[in-house]
């Protein structure tokens, strides 16, 4: 972010700067991310919102260096404290994955090995620590108890399929936090769960975040959960960050036309009963044939013909509240 | 308004083990009851919503209406005609009137058929002659807001929202009177979700179709349905007009569900009723009130007796011992 200059003295856990990622496909070069900058301050929960295809997963995969072979990082850097993740060797990456950055995925079965017991997996993940098996086992029990697995000691022998969906997600959280990482990436951690479990998992994450004092990058398209859980929010659209700021900036003083539209569309926000729900007319632009101007121009409802045919500049409206829109230049309230 | 569909005390059970195994185990009751004693009516032109978590029996109940599963007891009447026990031949003409939009939007479309064939297949199945397949297919696509260029597409080329629309076009093919929409917006982005719901409402308005919508998204229910039922472990715990339930949720489970989806406002008051634990297994149903294991208002009586079905307002029922004390 350009406000980086202002905040430089403040320490960041993770700082993504001007990241652009392309994917080579049969149909041409897909520009999945363009000049994405995201800062994650210590002990803060940063929400990443946007509709499918906006690049949320590409951001996560870039941080973890898990991008597929056809991906090409055009420019930018991802600094974990003072080291650039994009420059790291595989040995260096191995030292941070799971230890300093860990992830919870949407489906816990993708991160748990179905053929190994929970106890084995919980001790294996501590392979870096020079402590004996008994201590590792005890640590696993403590961690499982903390995430709310009853009878943790007995259940160490159980396999993932013997747990319910909610319990599996709790175990995945325990595995992610056992090494006390600086940054926890939660990729739609509750989407696969029922409503009552969803809120239980969010409350659990809230408590654990306070206990472990880690930063969280919370990726979700559920605006209600983001409002409830996050301190900062980053809004992405078609591979670009269009707006970012603290949670109240975004939910009360949204400045970008897309953010406004997105919030209006959420039926949970509409208090009086209506049969006709608002939508965002138009389609997401084709990421292969992009023109080099405002990304939202085709669907924008406030666009005036004065908008220049250039990339919209990033404006800092109030400290920490950034918006990428031509019309916010004059400080207009859109 | 006339009742289009009446479901009365329907029970649907599934075998948990084979006949021989049950005899060997001396298990007299090798069944689980996915739906036990559900009753509802759907009037002409209205939208009825079924809400509940996974495993509550919503889909099973809906599938029983079009004969995909057979209830063990109860009655399902469509326009005063009993559907239970009807043989295939007698049922077939009725299936023209009741269409289904399945849960998995892409999975319910045959991967080997073009959109044109998919949406005109109902005519073939029911032996109805159509002169110009392309014309009919174009008309149907037009109704759901897709251009005719999709006629030759195959399901894998469609996005989630487009696949829903094709599923809807197929459901509309035979001009049904009732459409069962199983999770019509699951997995869609909010802006597209609105488009699909608006389309459903427009069609309902123009063609006077009734909808049975199955969903777990309460915000959707609030804006799109006239009446609703909340299901828990195969039973209705609360039924009534949607507006009334949202204004005055009475059953503890309804309250839990309502407070489980936070408002998109960081400063909204959070008087949250935190849910406890997880849904019990259908194999070991809790005694007494089946929600007692997760209820914060539980008392001794709840563990032993089954709560009565009580009327607490116009057309508004619920099964819980106490409703006054909770306020």
């Amino acid at each position: 972010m350009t406000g980086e200059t202002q905040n430089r003295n403040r320490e960041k856990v993770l700082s993504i700067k001007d990241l652009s990622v392309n994917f080579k496909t049969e149909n041409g070069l897909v520009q999945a991310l363009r000049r994405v900058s995201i800062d994650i301050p210590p002990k803060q929960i940063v929400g990443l919102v946007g509709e499918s295809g906006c690049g949320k997963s590409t951001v996560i995969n870039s941080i973890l260096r898990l991008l597929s072979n056809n991906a090409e990082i055009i420019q930018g850097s991802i600094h974990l404290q003072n080291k650039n993740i994009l420059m790291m060797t595989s040995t260096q990456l191995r030292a941070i994955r799971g230890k300093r950055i860990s992830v919870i995925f949407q489906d816990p079965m993708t991160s748990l090995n179905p053929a190994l017991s929970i106890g084995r997996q919980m001790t294996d993940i501590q392979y870096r620590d020079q402590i004996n098996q008994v201590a590792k086992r005890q640590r696993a029990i403590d961690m499982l108890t903390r995430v709310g697995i009853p009878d943790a000691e007995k259940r160490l022998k159980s396999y993932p399929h013997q747990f319910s969906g909610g319990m599996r997600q709790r175990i995945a959280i325990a595995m992610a936090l056992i090494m006390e990482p600086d940054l926890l990436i939660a990729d739609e951690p509750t989407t696969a769960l029922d409503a009552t479990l969803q809120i239980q998992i969010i409350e659990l994450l809230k408590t654990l975040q306070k206990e472990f004092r880690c930063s969280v990058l919370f990726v979700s398209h559920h605006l209600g959960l983001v409002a409830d859980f996050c301190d900062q929010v980053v809004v992405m659209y078609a591979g670009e960050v269009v707006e970012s700021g603290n949670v109240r900036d975004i939910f009360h003083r949204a400045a970008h036309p897309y953010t406004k539209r997105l919030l209006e569309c959420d039926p949970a926000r509409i208090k009086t009963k209506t049969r006709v729900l608002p939508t965002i007319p138009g389609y997401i632009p084709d990421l292969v044939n992009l023109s080099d101007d405002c990304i939202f121009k085709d669907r924008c409802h406030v666009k005036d013909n004065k908008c220049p045919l250039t990339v919209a500049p990033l404006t800092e409206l109030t400290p920490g509240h950034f918006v990428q829109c031509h019309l916010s230049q004059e400080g207009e309230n859109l | 308004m006339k009742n289009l569909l009446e479901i009365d005390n329907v029970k649907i059970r599934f075998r948990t083990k084979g006949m021989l195994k049950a005899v060997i185990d001396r298990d007299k009751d090798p069944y689980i009851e996915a739906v036990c004693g559900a009753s509802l009516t759907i009037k002409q032109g209205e939208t009825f919503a079924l809400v509940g978590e996974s495993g509550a029996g919503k889909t099973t109940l809906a599938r029983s209406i079009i004969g995909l599963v057979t209830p063990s007891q109860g009655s399902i009447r469509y326009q005063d005609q009993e559907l239970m026990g009807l043989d295939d031949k007698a049922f077939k003409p009725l299936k023209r009137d009741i269409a289904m939009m399945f849960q998995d939007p892409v999975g319910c479309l045959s991967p080997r058929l073009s959109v044109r064939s998919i949406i005109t297949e109902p005519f073939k199945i029911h032996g109805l002659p159509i002169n110009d397949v392309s014309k009919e297919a174009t008309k149907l696509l037009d109704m759901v807001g897709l251009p005719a260029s999709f006629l030759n597409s195959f399901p894998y080329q469609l996005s989630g929202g487009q696949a829903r629309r094709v599923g809807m076009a197929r459901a509309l093919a035979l001009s049904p009177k009732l459409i069962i929409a199983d999770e019509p917006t699951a997995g869609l982005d909010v802006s597209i979700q609105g488009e699909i719901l608006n389309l459903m409402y427009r069609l309902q308005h123009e063609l006077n179709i009734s909808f049975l919508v199955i969903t777990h998204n309460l915000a959707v229910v609030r804006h799109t349905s006239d009446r609703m039922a909340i299901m828990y472990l195969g039973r209705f715990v609360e039924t009534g007009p949607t507006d009334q339930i949202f204004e005055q949720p009475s059953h503890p489970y309804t309250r839990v569900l309502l407070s489980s989806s936070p408002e998109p406002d960081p400063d909204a008051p959070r008087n949250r009723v935190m849910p406890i634990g997880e849904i019990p297994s259908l194999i070991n149903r809790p005694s007494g009130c089946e929600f007692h294991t997760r209820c914060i208002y539980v008392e001794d009586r709840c563990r032993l007796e089954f709560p009565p079905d009580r009327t607490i307002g116009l057309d508004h029922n619920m099964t819980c011992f106490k409703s006054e004390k909770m306020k």
Side-chain angles (χ1 to χ4, degrees):
Chain A
M1 254 162 239
T2 46
E4 182 69 19
T5 37
Q6 270 196 348
N7 298 332
R8 188 161 287 163
N9 37 8
R10 216 200 295 161
E11 206 191 332
K12 299 277 159 16
V13 170
L14 190 89
S15 174
I16 303 177
K17 222 190 283 176
D18 278 331
L19 182 69
S20 297
V21 176
N22 287 355
F23 286 101
K24 287 182 211 128
T25 67
E26 282 174 16
N27 304 327
L29 213 54
V30 176
Q31 303 183 36
L33 292 184
R34 289 177 310 284
R35 302 172 303 278
V36 167
S37 297
I38 298 170
D39 281 331
I40 303 177
K43 292 169 225 150
Q44 293 264 303
I45 303 171
V46 178
L48 186 57
V49 295
E51 297 182 281
S52 21
C54 74
K56 300 187 298 262
S57 301
T58 312
V59 168
I60 296 177
N61 290 339
S62 308
I63 297 173
L64 296 164
R65 289 277 301 274
L66 293 175
L67 288 170
S68 55
N69 289 335
N70 61 343
E72 200 181 358
I73 296 170
I74 303 298
Q75 57 163 355
S77 65
I78 303 176
H79 277 88
L80 178 71
Q81 269 133 9
N82 47 19
K83 287 221 179 70
N84 189 352
I85 295 180
L86 300 181
M87 296 298 180
M88 284 185 185
T89 61
S90 52
T91 329
Q92 285 171 314
L93 281 172
R94 202 169 148 79
I96 62 160
R97 286 184 190 143
K99 166 86 180 156
R100 298 191 49 202
I101 302 179
S102 57
V103 204
I104 313 168
F105 293 101
Q106 180 172 337
D107 179 3
M109 275 317 255
T110 55
S111 48
L112 296 174
N113 185 335
L116 297 179
S117 70
I118 294 301
R120 168 80 191 277
Q121 295 185 56
M122 290 286 292
T123 45
D124 277 359
I125 202 167
Q126 307 173 47
Y127 71 93
R128 295 182 184 89
D129 289 7
Q130 305 293 329
I131 52 174
N132 63 35
Q133 281 298 316
V134 180
K136 283 183 185 174
R137 200 175 117 86
Q138 190 51 47
R139 200 158 152 198
I141 295 169
D142 291 345
M143 197 61 222
L144 287 174
T145 314
R146 267 162 106 172
V147 297
I149 305 282
D151 256 347
E153 191 165 359
K154 278 188 197 152
R155 305 239 45 189
L156 284 182
K157 286 196 210 85
S158 306
Y159 289 83
H161 74 268
Q162 293 167 309
F163 292 88
S164 65
M167 285 297 168
R168 272 181 219 150
Q169 196 58 288
R170 284 170 192 268
I171 293 164
I173 293 172
M175 298 233 321
L177 288 176
I178 196 165
M179 299 311 292
E180 304 186 7
D182 302 321
L183 173 66
L184 175 68
I185 298 174
D187 184 5
E188 306 258 7
T190 63
T191 311
L193 302 176
D194 277 318
T196 56
L197 297 178
Q198 169 166 292
I199 205 73
Q200 289 177 7
I201 295 291
I202 289 296
E203 291 294 331
L204 174 70
L205 279 173
K206 263 191 204 169
T207 324
L208 292 173
Q209 188 268 338
K210 285 199 191 85
E211 261 178 53
F212 285 83
R213 302 159 69 79
C214 58
S215 304
V216 180
L217 179 63
F218 180 69
V219 180
S220 180
H221 61 255
H222 193 309
L223 296 170
L225 290 180
V226 171
D228 187 44
F229 183 48
C230 298
D231 304 308
Q232 310 264 341
V233 179
V234 177
V235 184
M236 287 187 72
Y237 177 75
E240 288 181 15
V241 172
V242 292
E243 187 166 1
S244 63
N246 75 43
V247 68
R248 288 182 179 78
D249 286 337
I250 302 294
F251 283 92
H252 295 324
R253 297 177 286 277
H256 196 281
Y258 174 67
T259 316
K260 290 184 170 188
R261 276 288 166 99
L262 186 68
L263 292 173
E264 280 167 14
C265 279
D266 190 351
R269 199 181 172 86
I270 306 164
K271 294 280 160 51
T272 48
K273 181 165 180 154
T274 169
R275 273 304 174 81
V276 180
L277 295 162
T279 57
I280 308 179
Y283 298 96
I284 295 176
D286 180 5
L287 295 181
V288 177
N289 304 308
L290 277 177
S291 53
D292 215 11
D293 51 359
C294 171
I295 187 79
F296 193 58
K297 62 174 192 300
D298 296 336
R299 304 173 81 184
C300 188
H301 61 297
V302 286
K303 169 186 68 172
D304 57 17
N305 298 325
K306 286 180 287 181
C307 276
L309 293 172
T310 53
V311 174
L314 200 63
T315 319
E316 189 168 13
L317 297 175
T318 50
H321 183 186
F322 294 91
V323 61
Q324 185 178 333
C325 177
H326 286 296
L327 291 170
S328 62
Q329 279 274 282
E330 302 96 52
E332 276 177 81
N333 188 17
L334 300 178
Chain B
M1 270 190 289
K2 238 182 95 197
N3 282 346
L4 190 67
L5 186 83
E6 291 171 14
I7 296 181
D8 193 30
N9 199 23
V10 160
K11 287 192 177 175
I12 303 169
R13 53 185 199 170
F14 293 112
R15 264 192 177 276
T16 50
K17 45 181 125 172
M19 215 146 354
L20 188 63
K21 178 94 167 94
V23 171
I24 293 168
D25 292 354
R26 291 166 192 253
D27 190 342
K28 290 204 180 82
D29 186 29
Y31 295 98
I32 55 161
E33 297 219 305
V35 176
C36 33
S39 306
L40 64 88
T41 56
I42 298 176
K43 298 189 178 74
Q44 194 120 44
E46 80 166 353
T47 302
F48 191 97
L50 269 183
V51 185
E53 295 177 271
S54 29
K58 310 178 295 270
T59 301
T60 310
L61 180 61
R63 290 169 78 96
S64 73
I65 298 169
I66 48 168
L68 292 177
V69 287
T70 316
S72 60
Q73 71 177 71
S75 119
I76 301 172
R77 283 186 305 279
Y78 173 75
Q79 287 187 330
D80 297 326
Q81 183 176 2
E82 179 62 53
L83 300 185
M84 290 265 295
L86 222 53
D87 61 23
D88 285 352
K89 213 175 154 193
F91 207 147
K92 203 171 169 187
L94 290 173
K95 284 183 182 169
R96 283 187 212 168
D97 278 4
I98 310 174
M100 183 126 185
M101 284 163 61
F102 291 92
Q103 196 164 1
D104 181 350
V106 182
C108 75
L109 306 176
S110 168
R112 290 172 195 279
L113 295 183
S114 66
V115 167
R116 183 204 321 265
S117 312
I118 288 171
I119 59 180
T120 51
E121 212 182 11
F123 294 102
K124 279 189 206 156
I125 293 169
H126 288 276
L128 301 171
I130 34 173
N131 297 329
D132 189 343
V133 174
S134 291
K135 202 175 145 201
E136 188 64 36
T138 313
K139 195 188 97 196
L140 287 169
L141 282 186
D142 188 49
M143 280 166 89
V144 296
L146 287 177
S149 56
F150 279 98
L151 281 179
N152 295 321
S153 304
F154 283 86
Y156 72 89
Q157 295 167 316
L158 305 173
S159 70
Q162 288 161 353
R164 298 262 175 203
R165 284 171 194 259
V166 171
M168 204 184 289
R170 177 174 63 181
L172 288 168
L174 302 175
S175 327
K177 296 200 175 70
L178 171 68
I179 294 182
I180 300 166
D182 195 350
E183 297 278 7
T185 62
L188 295 181
D189 285 320
V190 275
S191 62
I192 304 187
Q193 168 178 299
E195 281 172 23
I196 296 288
L197 294 173
N198 291 348
L199 175 63
M200 280 169 63
Y201 179 60
R202 203 193 77 213
L203 293 170
Q204 174 166 46
H205 204 71
E206 286 170 7
L207 308 170
N208 198 24
I209 302 172
S210 305
F211 272 99
L212 174 64
V213 175
I214 300 171
T215 181
H216 60 261
N217 187 336
L218 284 162
V220 166
V221 172
R222 179 180 202 161
H223 294 299
T224 56
S225 69
D226 302 296
R227 291 187 304 133
M228 65 190 285
I230 292 122
M231 279 186 100
Y232 188 74
L233 289 184
R235 287 183 214 277
F236 287 176
V237 294
E238 188 166 354
T239 53
T242 306
D243 297 344
Q244 225 178 89
I245 290 184
F246 273 89
E247 207 169 290
Q248 202 177 39
S250 303
H251 195 280
Y253 181 60
T254 312
R255 295 178 178 205
V256 163
L257 273 187
L258 284 178
S259 60
S260 287
S261 74
E263 260 177 57
D265 178 357
D267 297 313
R270 305 241 181 274
N271 36 7
R272 181 166 288 162
V273 189
M274 263 303 276
I276 319 166
E278 294 186 25
I279 306 178
S281 155
L282 284 168
I283 298 170
N284 294 311
R285 281 176 178 275
S287 60
C289 170
E290 288 169 344
F291 187 60
H292 85 251
T293 54
R294 304 176 72 194
C295 183
I296 53 168
Y297 307 102
V298 66
E299 53 181 46
D300 290 344
R301 179 164 62 154
C302 304
R303 297 192 178 91
L304 303 168
E305 292 171 51
F306 196 80
D309 191 12
R310 298 189 344 194
T311 306
I312 51 168
L314 187 68
D315 200 20
H316 188 174
N317 285 42
M318 69 136 180
T319 48
C320 179
F321 285 114
K322 40 196 210 174
S323 60
E324 294 78 27
K325 272 189 207 164
M326 290 188 303
K327 293 161 198 164

